């Protein structure tokens, strides 16, 4: 196996920052976890107290000299910066330090690229990478010409070559987007073919490493990859869950969120995130054993807002209760409805199933339908999925008053545009 590069992590701590809930230290610790996930060997971390990043080098020039000494002393070959660097900062740092420099976004993209298994996930990652790479192209070219043997800082390609390259990247991005669209419409088609009324679906969402995949495995006795690494899951996996009431619904495991989630990933993972947007409810999983649980909840809520999924009803599932401290209950009180579980120890699952059923029960609605005799399929569906309160077969029409789950009702109406009125 190749020996991992000696890596230096660096962050800036703004002493005037308003929020102390998520400090530069918390952030760099998370960066270290990301680095570990990418199999890097972190040998040093540096936090500089500074109000704003240095325009040219991100860190101050004095700090830069200290870093040079560290690099020489510890044989460091890679530096990771805990914020997104501008392309010119990235270039200036590499030139000055003479080692490879990447930023948090670059590292996350790298982890996504390693973990992408399906064709769709691979395309989505490539799209995000090209989006990230495009403005940094000059830098890339300097590297290439360096490899060409000219030594550090030799000429880059001519402007013309760069333009050609940028155009090629844009063309490739457009082609990937087209392919992703195709995959998406194919998936919709399959779903519609499979069922007359799509089943009720819940998406399992939350911060990375919260235990989403473990929860899906426990609830549905399946075997999705779950491990102590960040972003283990990139592809949405859907499994059927049978409730104690014998109703079946679908649960989808999704990609995790993180602080400073790169915007390139949010936009290129649109198809994957759509599984969340289209869900009827969300199970928001939280690592209750993590000291920053509340910050993670808020960060995940922000991402849900960003992808416009914040209106979907959610159940807060406080997981890893086998390792959680006392304070978690006070935090949980702020987020309702909530349940406490351990997906690993299989505790609290009854409460979770109850919460899902309560939530379904609470969203019942009573509707009156006036159908004609060509719409017997709707009559059958109402019998199958609802509770019939009244039914009259008249000459021209069939009158049905039924109690239905709101979600099912919506789906029946959408599919069959049956004339109906809400019952008084
Ligand atoms: N102690 C404890 N550990 C748990 C529990 N549930 C999950 N874990 C562990 O937490 C780690 C992450 O679990 P995953 O299920 O992969 O988490 P995830 O949310 O799917 O993570 P990503 O897909 O990487 O975003 C694994 O090492 C699990 O074994 C739990 O209830 N208790
Ligand atoms: Mg997972």
């Amino acid at each position: 196996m190749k020996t991992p590069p000696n890596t230096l992590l660096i962050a800036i701590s703004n002493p005037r920052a308003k929020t102390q809930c998520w400090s530069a230290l918390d952030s760099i610790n998370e960066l270290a976890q990301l680095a570990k996930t990418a199999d890097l060997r972190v040998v040093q971390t540096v936090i500089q107290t500074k109000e704003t990043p240095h325009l040219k080098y991100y860190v101050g020039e004095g700090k830069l000299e200290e870093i040079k000494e560290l690099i020489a002393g510890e044989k460091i070959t890679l530096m990771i910066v805990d914020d997104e660097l501008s392309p010119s900062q990235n270039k200036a740092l590499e030139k000055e330090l003479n080692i490879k420099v990447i930023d948090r976004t670059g590292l996350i993209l790298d982890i996504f690229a390693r973990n992408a298994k399906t064709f769709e996930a691979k395309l989505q990652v490539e799209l995000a990478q090209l989006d990230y790479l495009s403005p940094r192209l000059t830098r890339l070219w300097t590297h290439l010409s360096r490899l060409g043997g000219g030594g550090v800082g030799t000429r880059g390609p001519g402007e013309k070559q760069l333009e050609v390259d940028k155009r090629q990247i844009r063309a490739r991005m457009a082609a990937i987007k087209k392919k992703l669209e195709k995959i998406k419409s194919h998936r919709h088609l399959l779903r519609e073919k499979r069922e007359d009324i799509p089943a009720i679906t819940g998406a399992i969402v939350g911060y990375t490493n919260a235990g989403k995949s473990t929860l899906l495995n426990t609830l549905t006795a399946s075997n999705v990859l779950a491990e102590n690494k960040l972003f283990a899951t990139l592809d949405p996996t859907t499994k059927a869950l049978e409730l104690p009431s014998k109703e079946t619904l679908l649960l989808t495991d999704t990609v995790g969120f993180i602080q400073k989630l790169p915007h390139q990933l949010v936009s290129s993972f649109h198809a994957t995130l759509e599984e969340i947007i289209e869900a009827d409810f969300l199970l928001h999983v939280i690592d209750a054993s993590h000291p920053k649980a509340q910050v993670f909840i808020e960060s995940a809520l922000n991402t849900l807002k960003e992808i416009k999924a914040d209106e979907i009803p959610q159940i807060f599932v406080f997981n890893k209760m086998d390792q959680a401290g006392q304070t978690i209950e006070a935090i949980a009180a702020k987020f309702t409805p909530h349940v406490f579980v351990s997906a690993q120890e299989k505790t609290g699952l009854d409460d979770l199933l109850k919460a899902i059923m309560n939530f379904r029960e609470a969203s019942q609605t009573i509707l009156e339908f006036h159908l004609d005799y060509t719409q017997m399929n709707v009559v059958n569906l109402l019998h199958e999925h609802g509770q019939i309160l009244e039914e009259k077969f008249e000459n021209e029409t069939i009158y049905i008053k039924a109690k239905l789950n709101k979600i099912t009702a919506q789906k029946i109406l959408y599919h069959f545009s049956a004339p109906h009125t809400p019952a008084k």
Side-chain angles (χ1 to χ4, degrees):
M1 218 176 96
K2 240 173 63 181
T3 41
N6 285 354
T7 306
L8 164 72
L9 306 182
I10 178 139
I12 277 177
S13 169
N14 178 358
R16 291 160 69 101
K18 276 189 232 98
T19 160
Q20 283 311 313
C21 320
W22 184 251
S23 64
L25 184 63
D26 295 323
S27 189
I28 210 164
N29 283 340
E30 185 171 85
L31 188 70
Q33 234 186 316
L34 285 164
K36 195 172 145 218
T37 296
D39 295 324
L40 301 172
R41 183 159 168 258
V42 177
V43 292
Q44 279 289 345
T45 53
V46 174
I47 298 180
Q48 180 177 31
T49 307
K50 196 168 175 6
E51 262 174 49
T52 48
H54 188 277
L55 220 55
K56 186 165 179 200
Y57 293 120
Y58 178 76
V59 288
E61 294 191 32
K63 202 53 151 189
L64 204 61
E65 292 309 312
E66 280 176 42
I67 291 175
K68 278 183 194 166
E69 281 168 30
L70 275 179
I71 289 175
E74 307 260 2
K75 299 198 170 45
I76 290 164
T77 53
L78 174 67
M79 180 167 101
I80 309 178
V81 178
D82 193 30
D83 279 302
E84 190 157 331
L85 289 174
S86 72
S88 64
Q89 282 174 327
N90 208 330
K91 189 177 165 188
L93 277 171
E94 289 196 331
K95 195 164 169 229
E96 194 60 30
L97 300 174
N98 209 15
I99 59 168
K100 191 171 158 69
V101 177
I102 63 171
D103 59 14
R104 187 181 176 97
T105 301
L107 177 60
I108 294 177
L109 286 173
D110 192 71
I111 294 173
F112 269 64
R114 294 157 153 255
N115 292 357
K117 299 278 179 310
T118 61
F119 183 56
E120 184 176 22
K122 284 181 183 161
L123 282 177
Q124 295 184 110
V125 175
E126 190 187 342
L127 185 61
Q129 282 179 318
L130 290 174
D131 190 10
Y132 176 75
L133 191 66
S134 172
R136 290 168 173 77
L137 215 57
T138 20
R139 182 169 73 83
L140 181 81
W141 271 101
T142 322
H143 277 276
L144 291 182
S145 50
R146 249 192 241 179
L147 286 177
V152 180
T154 46
R155 278 173 301 119
E159 279 302 305
K160 214 167 154 197
Q161 180 57 47
L162 211 61
E163 252 327 294
V164 172
D165 236 66
K166 284 196 173 167
R167 218 177 306 135
Q168 271 176 355
I169 287 193
R170 277 197 296 271
R172 174 73 188 144
M173 285 175 76
I176 295 177
K177 280 185 192 157
K178 236 188 212 161
K179 276 190 198 159
L180 286 171
E181 262 315 302
K182 246 192 194 156
I183 296 175
K184 182 174 124 190
S185 55
H186 184 66
R187 187 168 44 220
H188 274 234
L189 213 69
L190 278 182
R191 199 180 286 163
E192 275 172 23
K193 255 194 197 161
R194 216 166 29 226
E195 299 160 68
D196 288 340
I197 299 179
I200 291 171
T201 56
I204 305 180
V205 299
Y207 211 75
T208 182
N209 215 38
K212 299 176 295 297
S213 303
T214 311
L215 184 69
L216 182 76
N217 286 341
T218 299
L219 286 176
T220 65
S222 43
N223 203 11
V224 174
L225 173 73
E227 54 181 348
N228 197 12
K229 285 200 165 176
L230 306 186
F231 301 113
T233 308
L234 291 191
D235 298 294
T237 308
T238 302
K239 301 278 173 191
L241 167 70
E242 191 177 311
L243 294 173
S245 59
K246 297 289 168 220
E247 278 174 287
T248 304
L249 48 85
L250 297 179
L251 276 186
T252 301
D253 184 20
T254 58
V255 57
F257 303 150
I258 196 163
Q259 301 270 31
K260 311 182 194 165
L261 185 67
H263 67 91
Q264 294 93 340
L265 283 175
V266 176
S267 60
S268 67
F269 267 69
H270 199 76
T272 299
L273 296 173
E274 226 165 46
E275 297 282 337
I276 300 177
I277 305 166
E278 288 175 0
D280 300 306
F281 69 94
L282 306 179
L283 295 183
H284 181 157
V285 182
I286 299 123
D287 177 352
S289 72
H290 201 289
K292 294 290 164 187
Q294 182 164 347
V295 180
F296 290 177
I297 300 174
E298 277 152 12
S299 161
L301 288 175
N302 277 336
T303 307
L304 287 172
K305 200 166 182 183
E306 198 181 331
I307 62 171
K308 300 196 169 56
D310 53 326
E311 300 270 309
I312 306 172
Q314 54 184 304
I315 299 169
F316 294 89
V317 184
F318 288 84
N319 185 36
K320 306 198 192 180
M321 285 307 287
D322 53 305
Q323 290 188 344
Q326 297 282 317
T327 50
I328 198 68
E329 292 193 14
I331 294 175
K334 299 179 199 162
F335 303 96
T336 49
H338 64 248
V339 291
F340 299 104
V341 307
S342 165
Q344 191 175 279
E345 304 299 319
K346 304 191 179 13
T347 58
L349 300 176
D350 288 348
D351 288 345
L352 173 56
L353 293 177
K354 237 182 257 162
I356 296 176
M357 290 204 295
N358 281 346
F359 158 79
R360 280 173 54 70
E361 194 57 37
S363 59
Q364 296 278 343
T365 176
I366 296 177
L367 292 176
E368 290 182 295
F369 290 82
H370 299 272
L371 302 162
D372 64 44
Y373 283 84
T374 62
Q375 290 177 298
M376 283 311 284
N377 53 352
V378 182
V379 176
N380 292 339
L381 283 170
L382 290 173
H383 274 264
E384 203 178 312
H385 295 280
Q387 186 190 342
I388 306 294
L389 303 176
E390 214 181 322
E391 186 173 39
K392 277 187 265 179
F393 288 84
E394 289 156 352
N395 280 347
E396 305 273 309
T397 56
I398 306 167
Y399 166 81
I400 294 181
K401 185 172 175 181
K403 187 172 171 187
L404 285 169
N405 176 276
K406 261 191 195 158
I407 301 165
T408 316
Q410 236 175 35
K411 288 182 169 170
I412 292 184
L413 297 174
Y414 175 76
H415 268 262
F416 301 99
S417 41
H420 70 286
T421 46
K424 273 147 224 121

